[in-house]
Every structure is written in C-alpha cells, then in structure tokens.
Amino acid sequence: MTPDMAAMGGTSAAPDLSLLQVAVYAFLGLVVVIMLLVMLAVASLPVFFAGLSLLDVGLKATSNFPDPIGKTSKIGGLVFRSLRRNLLRTALTYVALFVLTGMLTFIYGMVSFLGDFTADKDGAQMVILTEKFSIPSQMKPGYADQLRNVLLDMPKGSIPRPMTDAERTKLSLPLRPELSVSQEDITKYFNDKPDKDFSAQDKSRRQQLVNASLKENMMTWSFVGGTLDIAKITKENSLFFFALDPDAIRNGMMSEQGLKEEELGKDQWAELMRVMEIVKEDKRCVVIGDDKLKLMNKKVGDEIKITSTNYKDVEFEMKIVGAFPSGTRLSTSACMRYDYLLSKLDEYLIKKGTAHPVYDKCLNLVWVRMPDKPSFEALSGIVNQPGKFSAPAAKIETFSAAVGSFLEPYKDIFWGLKFIVMPAIVGIMCLVIGITITIGVRERWTEMAVMKVLGFQPWQIMGMIISEAMLIGVFSGLLSTWSVFFLPKAISWFTRTVGVKFAFFDNFNMPPIILLGGPLLGLFVAMIGAALPSWNARKVKVSEVFAQVA
C-alpha cells in the first residue's frame, strides 16, 4: 500500500498509529512471539536430546580407536554424561536459549525486511507522484496527463519501456493482441538516437511503442470511501475503493499490492485476469475483497448502491463481479474504475450547476514504472522545476522512499531494537549459559579434583566445560533459527493448501543468513558465557577440595 492511505479521512481509513498504539501492538506481538517460541522450544526438545544421543553414540563407536582419537572420544563421552546428569536443567537452559535466539532472529528479520523494503533498488523503479505538502495527497486530475507529456518529451532512452511478449508470458500477464513487442524492438527504438535517423515507418513504430509503454507503465489512484447506509455507518457496511484503470492490474502495476501470480497462485491469477476483462466492459463493475464481502454479507453477482463518504452527495450503482482472495493484502478493500468516478463528478456538475468541491483534488497518486534509477532522477529533476506541478506543489519519489518517509516517525524504535534490544538479548543469553555452567561446575567441584588426580590436564577440564555450553548453544541456535526461518513458509504453504491466506506470511521472508548465523550465535554466547566458569574449573586445587571433604 501507500503511506497516504493511512492518513485518508473517513470511516474506511486505516487507524491512526500513534506511538502509544505502536507500543501496545508491539507488546502484544512480543507476548505472542514468546509464547510461540516457548511452544516450539518444548516441541523440539526430543530433537535436541536425540541429537545429543546420536553424537554420544558416535563418540562411543570411536572410543576404542587408537589414541589420540580414542582418548578424545572417551573425554567427550564425559561431556554428554554431564549433560545427562541433570536433564531438567539442561532442558530449561536449552528452552531459554531457544526462545532468546528466536526473539533475536525475529527482530533481526523484521529490521532487515524493513531495511530491504525501504532501500534504494537497482533496475526498474516504481515511482509515485504525490502532493508535496499535504497528507492525504490530493491533486488535479490533469496532473496525470501533464506527467505523461513530460515523459513524452524525455529522451527515448530514459522513458518507460513496454514489456516484451516473452516478459509478459513469464509474468503470466495477458498478451496484447493489438501490439507484439520483441526485445529487438526495445533495443532499436528505446535509445537516444534522434528521430531524423529513422525512416517514416520506424518513426511510426517508435511512437506506437512509446504510447503503449506509457499506458502500460502508468497508473492513477483515487481513494473512494463508501458505505451502504450513509445514515448509520458501521464497519460492516463501509468499504474502501481504489479507483484505477483495470488495465493497470492486467499490466502488473498492482504487484506491490499483492496482485501477482506469485502471491495469488496460478488459478486465482487467471481468474482475476478474466474478471478484469468483465470490468472493462462495464464501468459499474467492481471487485471487492472476499473478507470484506463476508463482513458485508454480500457475494459475487450482487448489485449494491454505495454512497461516498469523502465525495459528498455522490452515489455509485455497482455490480460485484469478482473477489480478491481471502487473506491477501486487498482482501478487505475493493477496486473500481477511475473513469466511473470522473463520470459521477461530471453528473454532479450537470445536476448542481457547479463543480464538485473535491473535483480538482480527486487524483491521489500517479504511479510510473521507470526503467532504471538514472531515468527516475531525470524525471524527478523535471517535476521539481519551478512552474511545473506547482498548484498544488507535487513531488515524485520511489515507492521505497515513500515507505521510508512513512516509517520515519518510528526510526528511533527501530534504532533501539537494533542497537539496544538485540545486544541486550545477546548479553542475557551469555548470562543464562554462564549461570547454568557455573551451577554445574560447583556441583562437580570434587569430581574435577578427582579428575586432576587421575591425570586430566587443566586445559582438558576447561575444554569439557566449554564443550557442554557449546553443545547446548549450537543446538538451540540451530533449531531456533531454522524454526523461525521456515515457520512463515510453513504457515503460508498450509494456509494456501486449505484455501485461506494471511498476507503477512505470504510476503514476509527471513534473510537466509540466519540459517548459518543461528548456530554461530549459539557458539559465540556459549564460549563467552562459559569462559569464566571453565577458567575457575581449571584452577581447582586438589589439596583444598580434599581438605574440605576430610
């Protein structure tokens, strides 16, 4: 979505996310995450102990080998015996490290996800024209044509390019029967070669491709809030519309909002393309999210009358011809035709004899898919020139920059998560492992003195203590991070299988680096946490211990 949506007035607007609300939501989310991690940790305990048992069996199998392999295997066996000495303490330590590692991984994944989402990207750039100083953005409808003329005047090597037939087929987008485009066409016509160097036929072909490209790579958005009962507006009878050209969906311009085959699935994507053809035939046709239809107690095929909440005295007669699948990002929203909104505003002018108060503010956003970052920067320079897009003043920015601007008020929260909470969790993990190992060392103080009498070297005792911590740390880090990494994928697969979708799990992915980072983190905290207790263990004095025993 876009940041401007959250600020839109009316009953269909998103809730105002104040810092207090964010704190409450974050706390509740944290509680849910901790509960889920605890359940996963308990469920993975058999795997943890099974892993320890397999390693123990492996060491026993090599204990009769010639030294130093046999000797090392026997000493290693003492490590596993120590872990089995108090199974409850070992299990609780594992669960604590599992939960803390999972929390750290989840926070890192969220911060990394948002960082990637707001980072500048190479290649094609999805950019947005919005009003510069006001939220929500409200611009003149003529700004779309004005921006189109700006693009037409730009060097041909910098303007949007049409997708080739091969690219459209790869993305499962419908082919254009009226226009076939090959990669050779892109190479030949979308460069800065002057028109005078082209033949009349080539000029005509070039202009045809440019016009098709601008239609394919531009999309206007207007936000329309509406209700079935203007006298009594409720959550059940109100809804939010994106007013746009249905071809924008067919051309993949709504992919940032989840309308693409990867998220909908092949069958549902094909159904959406079929529905878009129906919408093109009648401007009254609309598509509403399945979750919103259930809330409204409506179904595909119903005809409804919507009274707008942000366009006063404007009513729409609509026919529901399709539904966005449940659980997707548009499952509670709807789409209508932009020209239907304009026609209703024209009707208002005829009936009232004056333009609608919001007519000159009915365009909220214009999206453009630019070929690369330099092209966007060139377009931005033109848009920002004095006298252009000045009444009201407009700005153009990438989608990632717009999301970054929306998240700007929360940057301190993200900074705190990254530089305070995450290091604090690592510190707690070191403390947990340190306390556990210290208790174990104190319980075995006499045993370690006997081991010294039997010929164990101080470094061997120290190595045994650190090995105990490393086993718990590596196993907990491995199982925790792998669980957190694959959990969203598993939930997404399951929900798709049963026909229910949750947009968060369909779009949120953990960075693959955590698969290696988890075990390394467990190794690190184990070594740090066990450093002091193991150092104390290597310094045990046999005479003092046996004097106390005597």
Side-chain angles (χ1 to χ4, degrees):
M1 300 299 175
T2 171
D4 298 280
M5 289 174 55
M8 178 185 172
T11 59
S12 58
D16 177 27
L17 294 180
S18 66
L19 291 179
L20 178 60
Q21 286 178 307
V22 170
V24 172
Y25 295 153
F27 174 77
L28 294 176
L30 181 63
V31 172
V32 172
V33 169
I34 291 176
M35 292 176 61
L36 181 60
L37 288 173
V38 170
M39 290 189 291
L40 287 173
V42 173
S44 64
L45 275 173
V47 179
F48 168 61
F49 284 114
L52 292 180
S53 299
L54 287 176
L55 289 177
D56 191 17
V57 170
L59 286 176
K60 288 179 179 179
T62 59
S63 61
N64 294 323
F65 282 26
D67 292 340
I69 296 177
K71 183 178 180 180
T72 303
S73 299
K74 292 173 182 177
I75 295 175
L78 297 177
V79 173
F80 290 97
R81 192 185 72 173
S82 298
L83 291 175
R84 292 194 301 268
R85 186 190 304 269
N86 192 322
L87 292 177
L88 179 59
R89 183 168 61 220
T90 301
L92 290 177
T93 305
Y94 165 80
V95 169
L97 291 180
F98 186 104
V99 172
L100 290 169
T101 304
M103 289 176 58
L104 184 64
T105 303
F106 185 78
I107 293 173
Y108 174 78
M110 290 293 295
V111 172
S112 178
F113 175 76
L114 292 174
D116 292 342
F117 202 61
T118 58
D120 289 336
K121 297 176 177 62
D122 297 326
Q125 304 280 313
M126 189 69 81
V127 304
I128 315 173
L129 180 74
T130 61
E131 191 177 352
K132 193 170 187 177
F133 300 114
S134 298
I135 296 178
S137 169
Q138 293 180 308
M139 302 179 292
K140 297 178 181 178
Y143 270 25
D145 290 333
Q146 188 176 339
L147 182 61
R148 186 178 187 277
N149 292 332
V150 168
L151 289 167
L152 285 172
D153 292 337
M154 291 180 65
K156 298 299 183 288
S158 299
I159 67 174
R161 295 145 169 81
M163 281 185 283
T164 64
D165 293 349
E167 289 172 334
R168 296 186 73 88
T169 300
K170 184 178 180 181
L171 296 173
S172 299
L173 298 175
L175 295 177
R176 297 153 296 204
E178 74 285 357
L179 181 67
S180 178
V181 182
S182 65
Q183 186 58 48
E184 290 74 17
D185 290 327
I186 304 298
T187 304
K188 180 177 181 180
Y189 296 111
F190 286 85
N191 55 58
D192 293 333
K193 189 177 180 181
D195 284 345
K196 64 180 181 179
D197 294 338
F198 287 96
S199 65
Q201 183 178 0
D202 284 339
K203 288 180 182 178
S204 176
R205 173 63 173 170
R206 186 178 194 176
Q207 192 59 46
Q208 181 188 30
L209 291 175
V210 168
N211 291 336
S213 174
L214 295 186
K215 178 176 176 59
E216 180 180 293
N217 291 287
M218 284 189 66
M219 172 177 66
T220 57
W221 269 11
S222 290
F223 303 143
V224 179
T227 177
L228 297 171
D229 185 2
I230 193 64
K232 186 179 179 181
I233 301 175
T234 64
K235 182 180 179 180
E236 289 73 21
N237 65 23
S238 60
L239 66 166
F240 174 90
F241 286 94
F242 294 91
L244 45 72
D245 185 343
D247 278 335
I249 297 177
R250 299 178 74 252
N251 290 326
M253 288 294 288
M254 289 286 284
S255 60
E256 296 286 356
Q257 286 68 45
L259 297 187
K260 53 184 177 181
E261 185 179 6
E262 292 88 340
E263 294 193 25
L264 298 181
K266 185 175 181 179
D267 293 340
Q268 291 178 340
W269 175 248
E271 173 63 16
L272 180 62
M273 293 297 97
R274 184 191 69 82
V275 169
M276 286 302 105
E277 290 296 328
I278 299 175
V279 174
K280 290 177 64 176
E281 296 174 359
D282 186 349
K283 61 186 178 183
R284 297 182 306 115
C285 294
V286 297
V287 183
I288 301 177
D290 189 57
D291 293 339
K292 175 54 72 172
L293 286 178
K294 294 176 182 177
L295 193 63
M296 297 170 58
N297 196 26
K298 299 293 181 181
K299 63 182 184 300
V300 174
D302 288 351
E303 295 191 6
I304 57 176
K305 178 177 286 188
I306 296 294
T307 303
S308 177
T309 53
N310 59 324
Y311 289 90
K312 187 178 179 181
D313 298 330
V314 174
E315 292 184 343
F316 300 94
E317 297 79 25
M318 296 176 167
K319 182 178 181 180
I320 306 170
V321 296
F324 298 120
S326 175
T328 58
R329 278 178 275 180
L330 294 183
S331 63
T332 57
S333 302
C335 286
M336 61 178 288
R337 282 175 50 167
Y338 175 60
D339 58 350
Y340 189 29
L341 171 63
L342 295 181
S343 68
K344 283 295 182 179
L345 295 179
D346 289 339
E347 287 182 16
Y348 183 95
L349 173 62
I350 295 173
K351 292 179 180 179
K352 303 287 186 177
T354 182
H356 193 282
V358 195
Y359 179 79
D360 277 342
K361 301 178 181 180
C362 69
L363 180 62
N364 295 107
L365 287 84
V366 182
W367 295 73
V368 184
R369 187 163 46 202
M370 299 298 290
D372 48 43
K373 191 173 182 179
S375 300
F376 156 67
E377 291 172 347
L379 176 61
S380 179
I382 297 173
V383 170
N384 292 328
Q385 289 177 1
K388 290 185 179 293
F389 302 94
S390 57
K395 64 179 178 180
I396 193 163
E397 58 188 344
T398 62
F399 176 68
S400 57
V403 175
S405 298
F406 175 64
L407 295 175
E408 181 70 17
Y410 313 114
K411 66 178 182 179
D412 291 339
I413 296 177
F414 298 129
W415 183 91
L417 287 173
K418 193 172 184 179
F419 296 106
I420 297 178
V421 176
M422 291 175 65
I425 292 177
V426 173
I428 294 173
M429 292 173 68
C430 294
L431 187 61
V432 168
I433 200 78
I435 293 174
T436 301
I437 298 300
T438 298
I439 294 173
V441 167
R442 290 188 178 277
E443 288 179 349
R444 292 178 288 156
W445 204 251
T446 304
E447 177 184 321
M448 291 174 186
V450 173
M451 292 173 67
K452 273 196 171 184
V453 171
L454 294 176
F456 281 81
Q457 298 298 315
W459 67 267
Q460 291 176 325
I461 296 176
M462 185 176 181
M464 289 174 56
I465 301 301
I466 294 179
S467 296
E468 294 176 24
M470 288 171 56
L471 282 171
I472 300 176
V474 170
F475 268 102
S476 61
L478 175 70
L479 295 177
S480 180
T481 51
W482 281 54
S483 298
V484 172
F485 180 83
F486 288 107
L487 183 62
K489 298 179 182 296
I491 293 176
S492 177
W493 173 84
F494 176 76
T495 53
R496 285 176 182 270
T497 302
V498 300
V500 179
K501 294 189 177 184
F502 294 97
F504 174 80
F505 294 109
D506 286 341
N507 298 283
F508 177 68
N509 290 306
M510 285 289 180
I513 192 174
I514 68 171
L515 296 177
L516 178 62
L520 291 178
L521 173 66
L523 187 66
F524 171 77
V525 299
M527 295 178 66
I528 297 298
L532 182 59
S534 63
W535 182 259
N536 291 333
R538 75 179 295 277
K539 295 190 301 180
V540 62
K541 293 182 178 181
V542 177
S543 58
E544 293 182 0
V545 172
F546 283 108
Q548 292 175 1
V549 172

